[in-house]
Amino acid sequence: MRYFARKIAFFLATLWAAITLNFVIPRLQPGDPAEVMVQKLAGKDAQLNPAAVEAMRAMLGAPDGSLFHQYVEYLKALAHGDFGLSYTYYPYPVTEVIGQALPWTLVLVGVTQVLAFVIGITLGAFAAWRRNSRFDGIVTLGSTFVGTLPGFWIALLLLFIFGYTMGWFPTGGGYSATTPGLNAAFLGDAAYHSILPALSLLVTAPIGWILGMRNTMVMNLGEDYIRLAKAKGLPDKVVALRYAARNALLPSVTGFAIALGGVLGGSILVEQIYDYPGMGRLMAEAIGNRDFPLLQTLLLFIIIGVLLANLVADLLYGVLDPRARRSQS
């Protein structure tokens, strides 16, 4: 019981620290969002009117007063679920803007993360069981080579070949002229637009799982309990799956949970390249426009998602492995 109490207490302390940093870091960024918006409206070379800047700041509801006063007001707003208005998409609330982008990222990045995990641990486990074989060499060396390729370069290459040259897939956007809705035409069109972004993520996403699973399983294959299982005459399939792979999977649980928690952040580069209407593109716009309310809320969602996923992984780890609970006692 002490193990679970310590994990929950650590989660709460980390959450408070993350909320505080989430408040401070965007305010360290130079520039004034009100000045940026007035400059866009007036023109690049136009001289800023101080009165227009003050009016824009009042219209946006930009925070004023001391940093401590802003922090207190920020905590009060969080307690009431008020994340403010987006500077970029004024006058829409931040929650409404995020609500429109979140489903796109959950489907694209969430599905690719699950597929990458399944593909990665499967290939890694089989490569470890057939270590030093041709398959092991191809998987290990191939994963190492592909892992050195930049993700944006892979996305641009796929876009150039299959989008512009061959014309097999759309070159951008999340859907075409189809009216959004829960109907077969729109869902099929959205799936068609997501193929190239998903492939761009799937090329490199399984690599970490492949190498991690292989290395952990190779170490487990040298343990005494594996030799005992083989000496008892158990089939190779049983030894590989129920003994070696099962224990090698435990360290991957935490990593997979954190990866799922980070899904809320989307993939900034891929979504920018394909103009995909997800959370990654939204974050890039918030950074470029100094949209503090939107940026803070996006970062907060990502942080809470990762922390919750990490907490679930820790609690699940304590259930799956009694040694973790005893080490904390």
Side-chain angles (χ1 to χ4, degrees):
M1 192 64 183
R2 183 181 300 178
Y3 170 84
F4 298 106
R6 286 168 61 97
K7 293 299 180 182
I8 294 175
F10 180 76
F11 165 77
L12 295 176
T14 309
L15 179 61
W16 172 78
I19 290 175
T20 303
L21 289 175
N22 186 45
F23 167 80
V24 173
I25 290 177
R27 284 163 174 76
L28 298 178
Q29 184 180 5
D32 185 349
E35 292 182 359
V36 173
M37 295 193 68
V38 171
Q39 191 72 65
K40 286 183 178 180
L41 294 174
K44 183 178 180 181
D45 299 325
Q47 187 175 2
L48 289 178
N49 185 347
V53 173
E54 288 299 322
M56 180 65 71
R57 189 176 290 115
M59 183 182 70
L60 295 176
D64 55 1
S66 66
L67 193 64
F68 178 75
H69 174 72
Q70 294 180 32
Y71 179 64
V72 173
E73 295 298 321
Y74 172 69
L75 293 179
K76 290 180 180 178
L78 286 184
H80 292 87
D82 180 13
F83 298 100
L85 302 177
S86 170
Y87 297 167
T88 307
Y89 296 93
Y90 185 86
Y92 292 100
V94 167
T95 51
E96 183 175 341
V97 175
I98 293 178
Q100 294 179 359
L102 184 59
W104 297 94
T105 292
L106 288 179
V107 173
L108 175 65
V109 186
V111 171
T112 53
Q113 284 290 352
V114 173
L115 289 176
F117 179 74
V118 174
I119 294 171
I121 62 171
T122 302
L123 292 178
F126 193 74
W129 185 250
R130 302 294 183 184
R131 60 191 181 280
N132 300 326
S133 65
R134 180 178 297 180
F135 177 82
D136 181 29
I138 293 175
V139 170
T140 305
L141 294 178
S143 299
T144 305
F145 171 73
V146 175
T148 62
L149 301 177
F152 72 90
W153 182 83
I154 295 174
L156 289 173
L157 183 64
L158 293 176
L159 179 63
F160 174 75
I161 295 175
F162 299 106
Y164 289 104
T165 303
M166 297 184 175
W168 291 356
F169 301 102
T171 57
Y175 59 95
S176 56
T178 308
T179 303
L182 294 178
N183 53 76
F186 173 74
L187 295 178
D189 185 49
Y192 181 53
H193 279 73
S194 67
I195 291 177
L196 280 184
L199 286 177
S200 301
L201 296 174
L202 277 176
V203 170
T204 57
I207 293 175
W209 305 117
I210 292 174
L211 299 178
M213 184 67 180
R214 180 197 178 276
N215 295 337
T216 306
M217 187 168 170
V218 166
M219 290 189 297
N220 286 343
L221 287 172
E223 297 291 338
D224 293 337
Y225 67 88
I226 297 294
R227 287 193 289 268
L228 177 61
K230 291 181 178 179
K232 292 172 63 176
L234 294 177
D236 289 346
K237 183 178 180 181
V238 174
V239 175
L241 296 178
R242 295 188 58 184
Y243 288 83
R246 181 178 179 182
N247 288 327
L249 187 62
L250 283 175
S252 300
V253 171
T254 301
F256 181 58
I258 295 176
L260 285 182
V263 163
L264 296 178
S267 179
I268 296 179
L269 291 177
V270 171
E271 292 184 8
Q272 283 283 92
I273 291 172
Y274 290 100
D275 194 27
Y276 196 78
M279 299 280 279
R281 193 186 72 174
L282 203 61
M283 181 175 292
E285 292 178 350
I287 295 172
N289 296 325
R290 296 179 177 84
D291 192 341
F292 291 156
L294 181 57
L295 181 60
Q296 282 185 166
T297 308
L298 287 169
L299 293 175
L300 185 63
F301 278 22
I302 297 170
I303 291 169
I304 292 177
V306 173
L307 289 179
L308 283 175
N310 199 19
L311 175 64
V312 171
D314 286 339
L315 299 180
L316 184 60
Y317 206 97
V319 173
L320 296 176
D321 191 353
R323 293 173 298 180
R325 297 196 302 268
R326 287 197 295 268
S327 64
Q328 298 279 339
S329 301

